[in-house]
Amino acid sequence: MILNRQRRIPLAVKPLARFCERVRRVLRFPEESVTVCFVSDPAIARLNREFRAKREPTDVLSFPARRTKARWARSVRRKREVRPGDYIGDIVISPETARRYARRCSRGLASELRVLILHGMIHLAGYDHETDAGEMVRLERRLRRRLGLG
């Protein structure tokens, strides 16, 4: 599910929802198990301060419901889905910050938002690029190619 709780940046929500659904299927998340919420810079800055002790806005934050990577990896290796109804978590994205980053990378906002949705969902799967010796970066690179992202 995608929620747009900001008004500063116009968004085409339906294509982003379709992309979110593609990523959900690739990662074998159950239906309706992830919520993506677009918020303003001040809103994401408050969340970043509260949960990460960082004062500035960021582009994306992920809030896993409770799954660990080890448990997730076991279920994927066994080729079975997590039970329907299992909730994976929430992703919060600031389109304002995303637009600034997109401009720096000479990328369009829609592409940047797709990258952030993918990045957030990989975090919800239990990966952490700050602690995993490149494992998340490699997975994200592989999934970007598979999903047609630059």
Side-chain angles (χ1 to χ4, degrees):
M1 171 184 356
I2 298 224
L3 304 171
N4 187 8
R5 298 289 186 238
Q6 59 85 44
R7 304 255 184 266
R8 295 179 181 172
I9 309 288
L11 298 178
V13 174
K14 285 185 181 183
L16 294 171
R18 284 192 299 270
F19 179 78
C20 192
E21 179 63 17
R22 282 182 63 205
V23 176
R24 182 199 63 77
R25 284 192 310 268
V26 166
L27 292 175
R28 297 187 182 144
F29 288 172
E31 287 184 36
E32 300 179 12
S33 63
V34 174
T35 300
V36 176
C37 187
F38 295 106
V39 300
S40 66
D41 264 3
I44 206 163
R46 281 191 299 275
L47 292 168
N48 206 21
R49 185 172 50 251
E50 182 177 344
F51 292 98
R52 298 179 66 226
K54 297 188 177 194
R55 299 187 68 77
E56 65 277 343
T58 188
D59 52 357
V60 62
L61 293 171
S62 297
F63 297 96
R66 62 183 168 269
R67 187 157 314 283
T68 65
K69 184 170 65 176
R71 181 175 163 205
W72 186 258
R74 281 194 304 273
S75 66
V76 170
R77 266 198 308 276
R78 292 181 190 146
K79 300 279 190 216
R80 70 175 171 80
E81 295 289 323
V82 179
R83 291 184 311 263
D86 280 356
Y87 192 74
I88 304 301
D90 302 313
I91 300 167
V92 181
I93 297 173
S94 169
E96 293 171 81
T97 300
R99 183 172 63 183
R100 287 192 299 274
Y101 291 166
R103 286 178 179 159
R104 285 185 207 150
C105 297
S106 300
R107 186 175 17 225
L109 177 59
S111 294
E112 185 71 13
L113 293 174
R114 284 175 174 80
V115 167
L116 295 175
I117 289 169
L118 174 62
H119 186 85
M121 289 181 109
I122 294 170
H123 272 303
L124 292 182
Y127 292 86
D128 184 354
H129 51 82
E130 294 179 5
T131 62
D132 69 7
E135 186 179 10
M136 179 177 171
V137 171
R138 288 187 297 277
L139 175 61
E140 186 170 344
R141 204 176 292 139
R142 205 167 48 247
L143 291 176
R144 279 188 188 197
R145 282 191 303 270
R146 181 174 175 182
L147 295 165
L149 299 174

